[in-house]
Amino acid sequence: MRTLFVNGTVVNADGQTEADVAVVGEKISQIVPRSGGGITPGPDDLVIDATGCFVVPGGVDAHVHMELDTGTTVSSDSFASGTIAAAYGGTTTIIDFAEQRSGGNVLEAFEKRFAAAESQCVVDWGLHQILGGVDEQALIDARSLIAREGVASIKLFMAYPGRLYSDDGQILRALQMCADTGLMAMVHAENGLAIDVLVEQAIAAGNITPDFHSRTRPPELEAEAVHRAAVLSQVAGNAPLYIVHVSSSHALAEIVSARTRGVNIFGETCPQYLHLSLEDHLGQGWPNGAGFICSTPLRSKHDHHQADLWDGLRYDQLAVVSTDHCPFCMREQKLGFGESFQLVPNGIGGVEHRLDLMYQGVVAGHISLERWVEVCATAPARLFGVPRKGSIAVDMDADVVIYDPAATTVISAETHHMNMDYSAYEGMALAGAVRTVMSRGDVIVNNGQFVGRASRGRYLRREVSQHIR
Ligand code: DUC
Ligand code: ZN
Ligand code: ZN
């Protein structure tokens, strides 16, 4: 059977066309501009009318945390609930993380995580490998993951001493391995040792409200770590470096400066840093402020961070928008460990709303339609070596979203599909809505209703990105 998307505007990172799109099996088989006659439906074709809508590639969310074990709790979306929510939001690929901890075995950590995801995901998925204990064996094993398992990226932490933290020597060694293999090094760039001092001092002074989460993680300590990571990448032989969750003008400026020096560095930001701020949410005290605690933290809206981050996306200083989806329920989790900011699990859920939240940047004139598609799908697919995803083109996987710019989306915990009892974006009314979603040829969301099958998602063996080598 053939499926046709007719009468829509096809939007890719490199342009838009009035064209009809045909899908056969799992692949896009034909794209015909209507100026050239379009595609005439046959009697056996399933026809999806996209009049007035954009036909865009399924979103690629390269940074999510389903059922993440934080040590005190587990993030509240399973791979099943989280990927259903992703589908509702037009995301047809997620990349989560396998986590090796200090002294632990990388290959075992990968296999455990793989088994958990494989039996549940409803959209296609991949895994990055976290190295929480960089030692000789961890580097040997990480190096082998690309051929064994198709894992093209590792993640390192400059924050969280005593937990996931790597010191500069460990980071240099890991980056040397990345320079050698072409693996992408994702880095959580914050100066964790300095942050821990500020946290200790805030608590000693009785400053425990949620806003002190942000106040003890100042943007200077994010920027300093970005600078250090960039220098280490260069010294390592220009390792591919990807800074996750860039939240501040200060960190962005370091990325821009490093790029002008020729560092092989890419930046990711997230919708929360573009739409939420310290003042809007963290001044609320307990309990509401706890719902907005994430790391890197939300920044003050008076310091131009949001405007600078939008500009960074517009001018390709930032390459990707991911959600860093890390959901927790309010009562049992965010507030479950005591009334002090450092006891609150870090993370905001948002895998369902990335395309909608980023589309507001198109409406406001911050980014073009094409750039919206690029940062949400094309660039993450390319940078992380995800095969056959991220554009509407013949022979690509038929991951297709029909996006209706005339509809509206109101975000609420009452109606979202993530397993969270609150939303950091509660009540936000957005222009545009995801209408229909196809994943590898299957319609999984039809006019706003999930119609997909459990565990149909496929593991994506990735390749080292040709984009960055
Ligand atoms: N960093 C992440 O990337 N995700 C959740 C929490 C954190 O610190
Ligand atoms: Zn992080
Ligand atoms: Zn994260």
Side-chain angles (χ1 to χ4, degrees):
M1 193 187 71
R2 195 168 70 147
T3 304
L4 301 181
F5 295 96
V6 299
N7 300 325
T9 304
V10 174
V11 184
N12 274 318
D14 60 356
Q16 30 181 309
T17 3
E18 301 300 317
D20 299 338
V21 177
V23 171
V24 174
E26 297 189 347
K27 301 264 187 271
I28 295 171
S29 61
Q30 218 184 351
I31 302 171
V32 184
R34 282 191 293 287
S35 59
I39 303 177
T40 307
D44 297 332
D45 290 335
L46 170 68
V47 178
I48 297 176
D49 185 11
T51 300
C53 293
F54 303 126
V55 179
V56 299
V60 177
D61 193 338
H63 184 165
V64 300
H65 303 278
M66 309 303 176
E67 43 193 275
L68 168 73
D69 183 353
T70 68
T72 55
T73 189
V74 176
S75 65
S76 56
D77 265 318
S78 64
F79 281 101
S81 66
T83 53
I84 290 171
Y88 270 108
T91 286
T92 51
T93 300
I94 59 152
I95 315 181
D96 205 300
F97 298 82
E99 183 175 315
Q100 177 255 5
R101 298 182 186 176
S102 184
N105 183 283
V106 168
L107 304 179
E108 281 170 20
F110 178 84
E111 278 159 23
K112 189 163 158 228
R113 195 71 173 151
F114 184 96
E118 191 186 26
S119 57
Q120 299 188 60
C121 288
V122 305
V123 298
D124 291 351
W125 58 284
L127 293 173
H128 310 287
Q129 180 65 52
I130 290 174
L131 301 185
V134 176
D135 56 29
E136 208 172 315
Q137 189 59 45
L139 291 175
I140 291 169
D141 290 345
R143 188 185 276 272
S144 77
L145 275 177
I146 182 73
R148 270 178 70 124
E149 310 287 359
V151 172
S153 40
I154 61 162
K155 185 175 179 195
L156 304 163
F157 287 81
M158 301 172 95
Y160 306 129
R163 240 174 0 110
L164 294 165
Y165 175 82
S166 292
D167 65 28
D168 290 352
Q170 290 171 306
I171 288 179
L172 179 63
R173 283 184 200 281
L175 289 172
Q176 285 169 335
M177 185 272 287
C178 290
D180 191 31
T181 56
L183 292 192
M184 178 72 90
M186 307 168 81
V187 172
H188 176 135
E190 287 186 295
N191 185 325
L193 294 172
I195 286 168
D196 278 4
V197 171
L198 297 180
V199 168
E200 199 184 299
Q201 290 170 344
I203 294 167
N207 294 323
I208 57 167
T209 50
D211 51 313
F212 276 91
H213 175 74
S214 284
R215 298 186 201 286
T216 54
R217 310 181 85 92
E220 290 80 2
L221 294 184
E222 184 186 12
E224 184 277 332
V226 170
H227 179 79
R228 200 157 21 103
V231 169
L232 292 170
S233 147
Q234 210 159 22
V235 169
N238 230 4
L241 174 64
Y242 178 96
I243 306 295
V244 293
H245 49 51
V246 173
S247 67
S248 65
S249 311
H250 307 54
L252 176 60
E254 289 294 344
I255 289 175
V256 172
S257 157
R259 285 172 74 86
T260 60
R261 299 195 307 273
V263 178
N264 201 2
I265 185 172
F266 302 88
E268 166 200 88
T269 192
C270 312
Q272 52 270 36
Y273 306 116
L274 299 160
H275 287 280
L276 306 175
S277 72
L278 177 69
E279 289 75 19
D280 288 342
H281 301 293
L282 296 182
Q284 297 182 26
W286 301 97
N288 292 346
F292 305 94
I293 287 185
C294 59
S295 294
T296 51
L298 302 183
R299 303 298 183 186
S300 170
K301 71 179 177 196
H302 301 305
D303 294 337
H304 293 280
H305 299 290
Q306 290 186 350
D308 289 346
L309 293 175
W310 279 116
D311 277 353
L313 288 170
R314 181 187 182 98
Y315 298 120
D316 200 19
Q317 297 159 343
L318 294 169
V320 169
V321 175
S322 307
T323 55
D324 195 6
H325 176 71
C326 194
F328 297 102
C329 288
M330 183 62 89
R331 203 162 344 103
E332 302 80 31
Q333 296 188 294
K334 284 287 192 182
L335 304 176
F337 303 96
E339 284 208 2
S340 189
F341 70 89
Q342 90 285 7
L343 301 174
V344 177
N346 283 205
I348 288 182
V351 74
E352 189 168 345
H353 303 306
R354 186 177 58 124
L355 263 53
D356 291 325
L357 288 165
M358 295 313 299
Y359 183 66
Q360 306 320 296
V362 178
V363 175
H366 296 309
I367 53 173
S368 66
L369 260 183
E370 289 86 348
R371 189 73 184 133
W372 173 57
V373 167
E374 186 163 32
V375 299
C376 291
T378 319
R382 265 193 220 142
L383 283 178
F384 290 107
V386 181
R388 305 175 306 279
K389 306 285 191 192
S391 54
I392 302 287
V394 170
D395 287 337
M396 295 292 271
D397 281 357
D399 287 11
V400 182
V401 173
I402 304 301
Y403 198 81
D404 185 351
T408 44
T409 300
V410 179
I411 300 182
S412 173
E414 300 288 313
T415 49
H416 71 200
H417 302 88
M418 298 173 287
N419 185 32
M420 292 171 71
D421 58 1
Y422 81 100
S423 172
Y425 304 98
E426 185 66 38
M428 224 178 244
L430 306 175
V434 170
R435 201 205 275 172
T436 293
V437 180
M438 173 179 272
S439 164
R440 255 187 308 100
D442 295 339
V443 173
I444 58 170
V445 174
N446 186 17
N447 279 320
Q449 285 308 309
F450 181 72
V451 292
R453 211 169 20 84
S455 71
R456 60 166 295 288
R458 190 176 287 166
Y459 177 67
L460 296 164
R461 285 186 68 90
R462 297 180 289 123
E463 294 149 13
V464 167
S465 176
Q466 295 311 308
H467 198 57
I468 53 174
R469 285 229 80 185

